[in-house]
Amino acid sequence: MSQAELVRGVEDVLIGEERLQARIGELGDEISADYAGRELLLIGVLKGAVFFMADLMRRLTVPCEIDFMAISSYGAGTDSSGVVRILKDLDINIEGKHVLVVEDIVDSGLTLSYLIRNLEAREPASLEICALLTKPERREIEVDVRYVGFEIPNRFVIGYGLDFAERYRNLPYVAVLDADLVPETG
């Protein structure tokens, strides 16, 4: 019996734990090479990016700081409303710093586009994005994601920080939510 069969609500494992960790190691090597000789500030987008950011940071060989932002554009639904609110802002001044935004998933691009504009106004030395997952089919606004873990199909995914109604974040893999549980989108 697989792990997916043990968890009610999981239709299929999309990216297994070993594959996730291997790709995160590759991203860590690439980022470390690109930022060699510089200090890096990782900004995690709460709550989904916590697992990814923790594992990624452990793979980096460059000195780094971390901070977090919490932003909301979904409300109770599953589609972005286009209205973005900052629920928790940064504690660190990013002016003149090399900043890497760490995201769990890039879907429509609306929220991330807003976040990048907001951070650019704070005048960092550099600003890049690292996303574990991206769904190109869903993109409404193009965002330049420099580091991508995996491109995935347009499915509702859970696990490894991604949730459905605050559940499933603790799964050590990325899975597809059972079709019977996927909320209808407008």
Side-chain angles (χ1 to χ4, degrees), residues 20-90:
L20 268 174
Q21 294 304 320
R23 181 65 184 129
I24 292 166
E26 293 167 1
L27 288 169
D29 291 345
E30 188 178 344
I31 293 165
S32 294
D34 290 351
Y35 288 90
R38 295 182 280 175
E39 289 191 20
L40 185 59
L41 170 61
L42 302 176
I43 296 177
V45 181
L46 296 172
K47 301 176 186 172
V50 170
F51 292 79
F52 175 43
M53 186 161 142
D55 286 346
L56 179 65
M57 186 177 180
R58 285 190 285 262
R59 302 296 186 101
L60 297 177
T61 58
V62 294
C64 52
E65 297 178 78
I66 62 170
D67 203 348
F68 294 94
M69 288 187 85
I71 52 182
S72 172
S73 67
Y74 288 92
T78 58
D79 277 337
S80 178
S81 64
V83 177
V84 180
R85 292 183 351 194
I86 295 176
L87 304 176
K88 186 235 175 277
D89 206 344
L90 298 172

Side-chain angles (χ1 to χ4, degrees), residues 46-141:
L46 296 172
K47 301 176 186 172
V50 170
F51 292 79
F52 175 43
M53 186 161 142
D55 286 346
L56 179 65
M57 186 177 180
R58 285 190 285 262
R59 302 296 186 101
L60 297 177
T61 58
V62 294
C64 52
E65 297 178 78
I66 62 170
D67 203 348
F68 294 94
M69 288 187 85
I71 52 182
S72 172
S73 67
Y74 288 92
T78 58
D79 277 337
S80 178
S81 64
V83 177
V84 180
R85 292 183 351 194
I86 295 176
L87 304 176
K88 186 235 175 277
D89 206 344
L90 298 172
D91 295 324
I92 296 174
N93 178 353
I94 67 169
E95 185 177 345
K97 295 187 182 265
H98 296 285
V99 175
L100 182 64
V101 175
V102 180
E103 257 287 25
D104 55 353
I105 189 166
V106 181
D107 201 326
S108 70
L110 293 168
T111 305
L112 190 55
S113 174
Y114 169 84
L115 177 62
I116 294 304
R117 284 193 314 273
N118 181 290
L119 293 175
E120 283 173 340
R122 303 178 194 202
E123 301 180 357
S126 66
L127 180 61
E128 298 291 349
I129 302 165
C130 178
L132 178 64
L133 307 170
T134 183
K135 288 185 189 177
E137 289 176 53
R138 296 267 304 155
R139 202 79 74 244
E140 292 179 35
I141 294 179

Side-chain angles (χ1 to χ4, degrees), residues 10 15-16 34 62 82 90 97 123 125 155 162 164 172 178:
V10 171
I15 305 165
D34 290 351
V62 294
L90 298 172
K97 295 187 182 265
E123 301 180 357
R155 308 280 305 275
L162 297 146
F164 172 62
D178 187 310

